[in-house]
Amino acid sequence: MVFYRPGLSGAGGTGRTSRQQGGTAGRIAATARALAKEIVAKTAPVSVALIRQMMWRMLGADDPMEAHKVDSRGIYARGRSEDVKEGVVVVPGKAAAEFKNKVSADMPDYFPWWNEREYK
């Protein structure tokens, strides 16, 4: 559901872990920042928002099928979005995808899928 093509693996894209590179906390932080920047640049914001909510809300679901139902709806909705078309037509290394859907306006119609609890 996240329209993203990973380019980094391990530490700094080498496939080796930071420990194998004699890494320090600074290298680990730099690698994490580089990966975060790549994710921000190459993923559709609406997809990221949906996944974030699913992770927070579905980890405590009473049955894995509940998460599957929400995920399936997300795949269907996002698969029909303008963002997926943009992500598919962009040639890696040629141009960056310009995801047009906005979290503030383009969340799928089933969002939010949960009922807020009433606190007393």
Side-chain angles (χ1 to χ4, degrees):
M1 190 162 79
V2 174
F3 307 114
Y4 165 66
R5 184 191 56 78
L8 291 177
S9 63
T14 65
R16 295 181 292 163
T17 64
S18 298
R19 180 172 284 164
Q20 290 168 325
Q21 292 180 343
T24 62
R27 282 190 192 156
I28 293 169
T31 300
R33 279 191 292 278
L35 180 57
K37 286 179 183 179
E38 184 176 358
I39 290 170
V40 167
K42 296 183 178 181
T43 56
V46 172
S47 294
V48 172
L50 284 172
I51 288 172
R52 182 173 179 263
Q53 288 298 322
M54 286 191 300
M55 288 173 55
W56 277 108
R57 297 185 182 278
M58 300 310 294
L59 286 173
D62 61 350
D63 189 293
M65 185 54 72
E66 296 307 311
H68 173 70
K69 289 176 188 176
V70 173
D71 190 41
S72 294
R73 291 176 80 183
I75 291 169
Y76 178 77
R78 298 300 297 146
R80 299 167 53 95
S81 72
E82 292 298 317
D83 282 350
V84 76
K85 295 171 189 163
E86 176 69 14
V88 169
V89 299
V90 169
V91 177
K94 298 284 183 182
E98 293 183 34
F99 298 113
K100 304 239 186 303
N101 292 153
K102 303 289 182 207
V103 174
S104 59
D106 300 311
M107 295 298 278
D109 60 356
Y110 71 91
F111 182 86
W113 63 85
W114 63 89
N115 294 320
E116 291 291 338
R117 290 184 181 183
E118 182 179 331
Y119 291 96
K120 299 177 181 179

